[in-house]
Amino acid sequence: MKSLENQLINAYDQWADALFRHCYFRVGDREKAKDLLQETFTKTWQYLAEGGKIQNLRAFLYRVATNLIIDVARKKRPEISLDDLKEQGFEIGSNADEKMKNEIAGKEALLFLKELKPEYREVIIMRYIDDLFPKEIAEILNDTENNVSVKIHRGLKQMHELLK
Amino acid sequence: MIIFEEIIKKAKRLMLTESEKSQIRGAILNIIKETPVRLGSETRLILRPLFLRLALFSLTILTAGAGIAGAENSLPGDLLYPIKTEINEKIRERLALSETAKTSYETGRIERRLEESEQLMLKGRVDKAAEQLIKENLMQRIENIKNKAENIKTEEDLEKAEKVTSRIERAISTHESMIEKILENKKIRSDNLKEDTVKTAVLVIKAEMGASKRETKKLRDEVEKFDKIIKEKKIQRNNNDD
């Protein structure tokens, strides 16, 4: 039987990228997203160390991350401008390595996602980027599946308007 | 016009660098070492999803050495047959055969509704078309079909699920371009609001189809992994018998 430590680290190996991605598209800053990722896991460990029980580790991690993100949103939201994008993206030609290209692609996606209302952005990211089922999203956000679906549809509608 | 799927694809490319990932991992490990587990909570297991629990269950049986069907040496043919049957039966209980039939029926309905909506729009009745889609609660239906993907654990069911999703996808692609063309035609008198609703309906369906594809692939990967483990255990067992 694997120790708690091993299980948590396995979870990290498996979901670190996904959780990082989620945090990034919510707060719009890479460094901040990394901090949130780390804090998500350390807070989860503290919970476990104090004897807390977890049924669905993935959902739990997302819930912790979501709560941390809300705290961040209350303080300050860093701006990413088109200029930043131009600086990094358009001046670098095909010589840009894979990592750089991925980062740029991410930033482009962020430009659209950050225009969404926060409550829509949250579920859109969870549904289509994190690939969570609506049932899981409802569990994470402590909401009903129906409300989650409604938010997803409204979010997509808003995206549609933005993309015109 | 930029497509939603493109944005999602771009978003998914974002990831941590190797060094970033290991650096954070190290930081977490440090905190774990500094925060010992309270006495008595060591044994608390983080429960896994049902699928993995079933897999572990079957592995325990294999390694325990106790033959499911009685005498080890006289198991006919495939050593793993009894275990697979047991698991399959458990799964089939949950996913009644009629579910697949229901799913097929539902998919047929969706296809027909889309066709009907298109016919209506061809006749210039955009409002009626929108009404159709909304009344049928297509979105909820597609959601239901895809939620069933959670219950799919066997290779056979996976194939069925894939067939279902590709049917829906084909229906969408066939109709979407027609729908778009019709809506672009300014001769059609329509309430702008309703037009939007139809467009949104198509958009939602497309987005969900993209997600559904990814989900099916993940399930396929899981089933493959499971099969691999079974095979390896089989070889191990055979070697031990020698």
Side-chain angles (χ1 to χ4, degrees), chain B residues 37-102:
Chain B
V37 177
R38 202 177 279 183
L39 275 172
S41 17
E42 293 269 11
T43 52
R44 282 186 205 274
L45 176 68
I46 300 174
L47 299 174
R48 299 161 185 278
L50 178 65
F51 178 65
L52 281 180
R53 293 222 302 271
L54 282 175
L56 290 172
F57 171 71
S58 64
L59 285 179
T60 319
I61 291 170
L62 278 170
T63 53
I68 298 281
E72 297 172 298
N73 298 330
S74 63
L75 280 174
D78 186 355
L79 189 74
L80 299 157
Y81 177 77
I83 293 164
K84 269 191 175 162
T85 321
E86 190 176 355
I87 292 176
N88 281 350
E89 258 152 40
K90 277 194 166 71
I91 290 163
R92 281 197 198 288
E93 271 175 52
R94 293 184 63 204
L95 180 64
L97 221 58
S98 59
E99 292 260 315
T100 325
K102 260 192 240 163

Side-chain angles (χ1 to χ4, degrees), chain A residues 4 9 12-13 17 21 24 30 34 45 49 51 55 102 108 127-129 131 134 156 160, chain B residues 10 12-16 20-21 24-25 35 38 44 47 139 143 146 196 203 208 214-215:
Chain A
L4 280 176
I9 288 297
Y12 176 84
D13 291 333
D17 277 304
R21 202 173 294 137
Y24 176 78
R30 198 183 180 89
K34 280 156 65 178
W45 176 252
Q55 286 228 327
N102 288 342
E108 286 177 27
R127 181 75 191 97
Y128 300 114
I129 298 176
D131 290 330
L156 281 172
H160 184 60
Chain B
K10 284 187 177 172
K12 280 173 171 274
R13 286 170 67 177
L14 189 93
M15 56 184 74
L16 293 159
E20 281 174 331
K21 194 169 180 185
I24 295 172
R25 192 183 197 270
T35 319
R38 202 177 279 183
R44 282 186 205 274
L47 299 174
M139 266 48 83
E143 198 56 54
K146 285 185 321 83
D196 244 11
L203 187 71
E208 287 294 306
R214 290 190 289 272
E215 281 150 16

Side-chain angles (χ1 to χ4, degrees), chain B residues 19-33:
Chain B
S19 65
E20 281 174 331
K21 194 169 180 185
S22 62
Q23 189 232 328
I24 295 172
R25 192 183 197 270
I28 293 169
L29 276 168
N30 282 339
I31 304 238
I32 288 176
K33 286 183 170 61

